[in-house]
Amino acid sequence: MKIEETYLLKGRRILVAACGSIAAVKTPLLISSLIKSGAEVRCVVTPSAAQLVSPLALATLSRNRCYQDKDQWDPNEPKPLHIELAEWAEIVVIAPLSASTLSRWTKGLAEGLLASVLLAAEVPVIAAAAMNTGMWRNSFIQNNWKLLQRNPNILPLVPSAGLLACDRIGEGRMVEIDLIQLAITSGIIQKEKHGKLIKDWDGLTLIATAGPTEEALDPARVFTNRSSGMMGVVLAQAAKLRGAKVELVHGPLNLPSALLEGLSSHAVTNAEQMRKILERLQSSANAIAMAAAVADIRKVGGSAEKKLSKVNFLQSLGNTFEPVPDLLAELVQKKPIGQVLLGFSALTGNDNELLLQGKAKKVTKGCDLLMANPIDRPGQGFGEQPNGGFLLGPDETVRPLRTTSKLDLAHQLLDAMLLEMPSIIP
Ligand code: CTP
């Protein structure tokens, strides 16, 4: 499943590097995915990576040469190769980053082609670590990792936990390819806008809600809607990539689980469960983005205990529904000073109708920002589709949001939320 529309990576020059970790067997999948998205890819492998994954496979998939240490001083190259590659790339991705390359890099050692490229590169670098749990927890490695985290132009992706090739169950697995590609796309969006990576959410906490909620009607039937959860999850990941502490509260999602990797997630089924978690978390947040499509109604008195036949079920519907409590309106009532609340409204109609309904909705809800989101336009809205609409702000300000990828939109919404935090912006 591709999570980003291809145009953001089209023609982008991406240098993919693989180090000596068994996760290098997944590097071809990343390259293949980037090529399908229209990117131009070149590869570098360290000597150990070349034993784990065939440089020929990487060259074939990338439609380019795969460079190794022996090529570094190739007299046929116009410049020393490490300089040529560092200047060619718009973004560098190390997937996987091994303990050994991490240590060489953070010590500033130009030993080998990749280590030299990393020292010479002045573009954003995304580094997805992968190693044995003991190695990952080693204090020298952790100190080196902190150095990466402190560097504003490096985006380190912490390994996830799972069964490792050494049979250990623990931290050390390289994060999934989908997430690495999301981080690359996010890096490209930021580079386009600021010329570099920006971690402007550092020190801030965002609560994002995502997906539909479900209200049980009986043991078999539920009332819900078609939200996939993509907008809220992508918003949460984008905020995390910008340095935020993120709490994701989500209903049943229709997304690859890889997209949730690294997030502090709270899975719920119905609105009441979502409400309880939001109540507990609200005071800790600088901003809340209510991207969840909370189900509108539920059965008075809760789900029926016994499943009814179709005919009896239909007859039982009668007047037995009530509206689900409006969680966003409740958050507005209890909001601490300075907290920014962003709501979403799924609307249909032309732009004028959209604005009219959106403005009315913003007044009813009382949130600081509201995205009026058309869901009746071809190729836009649910799932992986691009999204756009209008962002309604304080004092009746209206900002058109051109139709773009959900990740690009997420960055724009994060920018807008930051602007509503006056104490944060100088
Ligand atoms: N929301 C909520 N609690 C609800 C319903 C919605 O917190 N019970 C939040 C959603 O997360 C979203 C916004 O309020 O941020 C959407 O409000 P809603 O009234 O559902 O707007 P529309 O999508 O425009 O729905 P409708 O047209 O049915 O009024």
Side-chain angles (χ1 to χ4, degrees):
M1 184 179 199
K2 296 223 57 65
I3 49 166
E4 270 308 303
E5 299 67 43
T6 53
Y7 61 88
L8 286 172
L9 294 182
K10 201 167 166 40
R12 297 310 188 147
R13 298 185 307 276
I14 303 175
L15 182 67
V16 177
C19 309
S21 151
I22 188 62
V25 298
K26 297 186 193 162
T27 311
L29 299 176
L30 174 63
I31 294 171
S32 166
S33 178
L34 292 172
I35 290 289
K36 284 181 192 148
S37 299
E40 221 183 296
V41 178
R42 291 190 186 181
C43 310
V44 174
V45 288
T46 63
S48 338
Q51 293 185 37
L52 293 161
V53 60
S54 145
L56 180 59
L58 301 187
T60 307
L61 287 169
S62 66
R63 285 72 164 161
N64 256 316
R65 279 182 62 190
C66 173
Y67 299 99
Q68 304 185 47
D69 282 1
K70 62 181 166 54
D71 304 314
Q72 188 165 3
W73 298 104
D74 182 344
N76 297 321
E77 292 295 337
K79 286 186 189 173
L81 189 57
H82 54 291
I83 307 299
E84 159 68 16
L85 291 174
E87 289 179 354
W88 171 85
E90 288 179 79
I91 196 161
V92 177
V93 186
I94 316 166
L97 171 69
S98 66
S100 152
T101 298
L102 167 66
S103 302
R104 233 174 292 143
W105 187 14
T106 49
K107 296 283 172 298
L109 297 175
E111 286 173 357
L113 177 60
L114 176 58
S116 310
V117 169
L118 291 176
L119 294 186
E122 293 173 295
V123 293
V125 182
I126 297 186
M131 62 195 76
N132 157 274
T133 310
M135 293 168 85
W136 171 249
R137 289 187 187 158
N138 181 287
S139 63
F140 296 127
I141 293 299
Q142 282 302 308
N143 287 338
N144 291 341
W145 188 253
K146 284 190 192 108
L147 290 175
L148 289 197
Q149 286 175 319
R150 268 188 242 136
N151 186 316
N153 221 21
I154 299 174
L155 221 165
L157 299 176
V158 175
S160 60
L163 174 64
L164 307 182
C166 51
D167 270 343
R168 178 144 181 191
I169 296 176
E171 304 136 290
R173 282 181 73 250
M174 183 171 79
V175 291
E176 295 292 339
I177 300 300
D178 274 351
L179 193 59
I180 299 175
Q181 182 146 343
L182 184 95
I184 296 170
T185 315
S186 176
I188 291 283
I189 291 170
Q190 288 208 317
K191 186 161 185 277
E192 185 88 349
K193 197 159 173 194
H194 307 283
K196 55 183 181 174
L197 295 178
I198 298 282
K199 297 184 185 165
D200 48 2
W201 275 75
D202 194 16
L204 298 173
T205 300
L206 173 77
I207 299 173
T209 64
T213 58
E214 268 180 22
E215 298 297 333
L217 304 178
D218 67 23
R221 300 178 176 97
V222 293
F223 185 86
T224 186
N225 56 64
R226 292 168 57 200
S227 166
S228 68
M230 182 67 95
M231 188 67 234
V233 169
V234 165
L235 191 63
Q237 287 290 9
K240 182 149 191 278
L241 293 170
R242 284 167 69 160
K245 178 174 185 294
V246 179
E247 302 285 351
L248 175 72
V249 190
H250 66 87
L253 301 173
N254 182 15
L255 295 174
S257 56
L259 288 187
L260 266 67
E261 265 191 347
L263 292 172
S264 163
S265 303
H266 310 262
V268 301
T269 306
N270 59 39
E272 193 49 39
Q273 294 163 349
M274 185 171 273
R275 176 199 226 169
K276 288 209 172 97
I277 293 178
L278 289 173
E279 252 172 27
R280 178 161 58 80
L281 297 177
Q282 179 169 19
S283 61
S284 66
N286 299 90
I288 305 179
M290 285 293 292
V294 182
D296 299 315
I297 51 173
R298 65 185 177 191
K299 221 150 175 253
V300 175
S303 166
E305 265 180 32
K306 294 227 157 62
K307 179 177 179 280
L308 298 174
S309 70
K310 262 188 241 38
V311 179
N312 293 340
F313 174 65
L314 265 176
Q315 279 169 2
S316 78
L317 291 181
N319 290 328
T320 57
F321 283 102
E322 63 179 5
V324 164
D326 192 323
L327 308 186
L328 177 53
E330 288 181 7
L331 292 169
V332 169
Q333 294 300 317
K334 297 183 201 151
K335 131 183 156 126
I337 294 170
Q339 186 173 74
V340 178
L341 290 177
L342 164 68
F344 290 76
S345 189
L347 301 168
T348 52
N350 62 31
D351 282 0
N352 285 340
E353 290 167 321
L354 221 67
L355 279 173
L356 216 63
Q357 298 171 72
K359 282 177 182 168
K361 183 67 77 180
K362 184 167 176 294
V363 172
T364 326
K365 299 269 177 180
C367 50
D368 305 284
L369 297 163
L370 184 119
M371 184 184 158
N373 186 17
I375 54 160
D376 58 346
R377 306 199 175 164
Q380 179 172 334
F382 288 113
E384 296 170 72
Q385 301 282 5
N387 216 353
F390 294 96
L391 184 63
L392 312 183
D395 305 322
E396 305 215 346
T397 51
V398 175
R399 198 176 118 205
L401 298 166
R402 72 180 166 80
T403 304
T404 182
S405 83
K406 286 188 172 148
L407 182 58
D408 189 18
L409 196 63
H411 277 293
Q412 295 183 47
L413 295 174
L414 290 168
D415 292 343
M417 281 189 270
L418 269 187
L419 280 174
E420 293 309 311
M421 295 179 206
S423 55
I424 306 298
I425 300 297

